[in-house]
Amino acid sequence: MLKKIRIGKGVKIIAAAVVLLSVISFAERKQGAEVCRDIFVKLDNQYDNFFIDENDIIALMTDDGDDIIIGKDFEEINLKTIEERVRTQKFLQKAEIYRDLKGNILVNAKLRRPFARIVEPSVPRGYISTDGVILPPSRKYTSRTIILSGSFMKELVKSDLTATEEGKKIYELLKFIDGDKFWKAQIAQIDIDKKMNVLIYPQVTKQIVEFGQPDDLEAKFKKLKVFYKQILPQKGWNTYERVNLEYKDQIIAE
């Protein structure tokens, strides 16, 4: 009796497995015969930097309309190739493309956020993103960020900032400023010469800040905050034209 019960359970399990495989096989055949119904793009644009939009992404996917996707059989659509095509857009930090069960292609993309803009006559204009990538200019949108200028820009634009030791130092300087509400609001422009000496131009006050090399960031900005918070209110906002932070434990103003 016990053996019959075991055999019965085994038969049920096998039958269930056969049904499941049949359903999967049918679903695969059905999906293979489906065509792409539509494309839906979800663009993470939380920082309101409208360098590209959904239409730009669809243009990349379709190779500017040469590769029609909607209405094409999914057997003829290579999602990996399309994803690689979209990822060539440097304004995108990431892009994932997949299909759903309804026959649509879904795109999840995230824009890079710029935190500095390169403005130097001798080099092409562009942006630096928060992950250190050099971005091209945009015809659609101009982001209000810190301006970077100076003769060192010729060297800086040769590669992403994280690729060189000099670039990493400038990247850390930009990240420091971007991460502090006071300095982000206070600093308008940074000029860097061939020797990587930094000059800072503030938004409001007229003093040029001689920062020196982009190192000892916390100590130098601490001294600069003392200058703004304690010295200028006492001496007058237009008393000094330059302030030097290069020397340890000293603030030189003239």
Side-chain angles (χ1 to χ4, degrees):
M1 186 67 178
L2 184 59
K3 289 183 179 179
K4 289 183 179 180
I5 293 173
R6 288 178 177 173
I7 292 171
K9 287 184 177 179
V11 171
K12 289 180 180 179
I13 292 171
I14 293 171
V18 170
V19 171
L20 179 61
L21 289 173
S22 298
V23 171
I24 293 173
S25 178
F26 174 77
E28 288 179 346
R29 289 197 303 270
K30 185 179 179 182
Q31 286 185 356
E34 284 183 351
V35 298
C36 176
R37 298 177 183 276
D38 208 342
I39 299 172
F40 295 97
V41 179
K42 181 181 178 182
L43 185 59
D44 185 351
N45 208 7
Q46 58 182 315
Y47 300 107
D48 294 330
N49 292 312
F50 301 101
F51 291 108
I52 60 173
D53 55 27
E54 295 178 6
N55 292 330
D56 295 317
I57 292 177
I58 292 175
L60 285 167
M61 294 174 67
T62 61
D63 197 16
D64 288 329
D66 292 337
D67 183 11
I68 303 300
I69 295 176
I70 295 176
K72 180 184 286 188
D73 196 305
F74 271 107
E75 290 183 344
E76 301 176 9
I77 298 174
N78 190 324
L79 292 181
K80 185 177 180 181
T81 299
I82 295 172
E83 190 174 79
E84 290 174 353
R85 191 184 294 162
V86 171
R87 286 179 176 176
T88 60
Q89 171 54 259
K90 293 196 74 174
F91 284 117
L92 292 178
Q93 188 170 352
K94 69 175 184 178
E96 297 175 346
I97 299 177
Y98 53 94
R99 60 170 294 190
D100 64 12
L101 296 176
K102 296 179 180 179
N104 302 308
I105 291 180
L106 309 181
V107 183
N108 287 333
K110 182 179 181 180
L111 279 171
R112 284 191 164 95
R113 179 172 72 89
F115 63 173
R117 181 159 57 102
I118 299 170
V119 180
E120 177 63 29
S122 59
V123 299
R125 295 193 175 195
Y127 293 94
I128 298 173
S129 70
T130 53
D131 57 347
V133 174
I134 302 290
L135 302 175
S138 172
R139 296 179 180 178
K140 290 187 174 183
Y141 182 77
T142 300
S143 180
R144 298 182 65 181
T145 59
I146 292 174
I147 293 174
L148 275 184
S149 60
S151 54
F152 189 75
M153 294 304 104
K154 288 182 180 180
E155 191 66 28
L156 188 71
V157 297
K158 290 180 179 180
S159 61
D160 294 335
L161 270 63
T162 55
T164 65
E165 292 303 315
E166 295 82 3
K168 287 177 182 178
K169 289 184 177 181
I170 296 172
Y171 179 49
E172 291 302 318
L173 173 62
L174 294 172
K175 282 205 303 180
F176 188 96
I177 295 169
D178 186 67
D180 188 293
K181 290 183 179 180
F182 179 81
W183 296 122
K184 189 175 180 179
Q186 179 67 20
I187 296 173
Q189 182 174 345
I190 297 174
D191 191 272
I192 307 173
D193 68 14
K194 291 180 180 180
K195 296 182 179 180
M196 285 189 65
N197 290 309
V198 175
L199 293 179
I200 294 176
Y201 296 86
Q203 291 274 12
V204 181
T205 60
K206 70 173 187 176
Q207 295 82 18
I208 297 175
V209 179
E210 296 174 349
F211 195 85
Q213 294 290 300
D215 52 22
D216 297 327
L217 302 181
E218 289 190 15
K220 288 180 178 179
F221 277 109
K222 186 177 180 180
K223 289 192 295 183
L224 187 57
K225 187 166 286 189
V226 169
F227 177 76
Y228 285 139
K229 298 286 188 178
Q230 299 180 25
I231 297 175
L232 285 183
Q234 293 182 8
K235 299 294 185 178
W237 293 97
N238 296 318
T239 302
Y240 304 106
E241 294 183 355
R242 306 178 76 86
V243 55
N244 190 300
L245 307 174
E246 295 184 62
Y247 302 101
K248 187 176 180 180
D249 300 324
Q250 293 185 49
I251 303 172
I252 300 174
E254 58 183 18

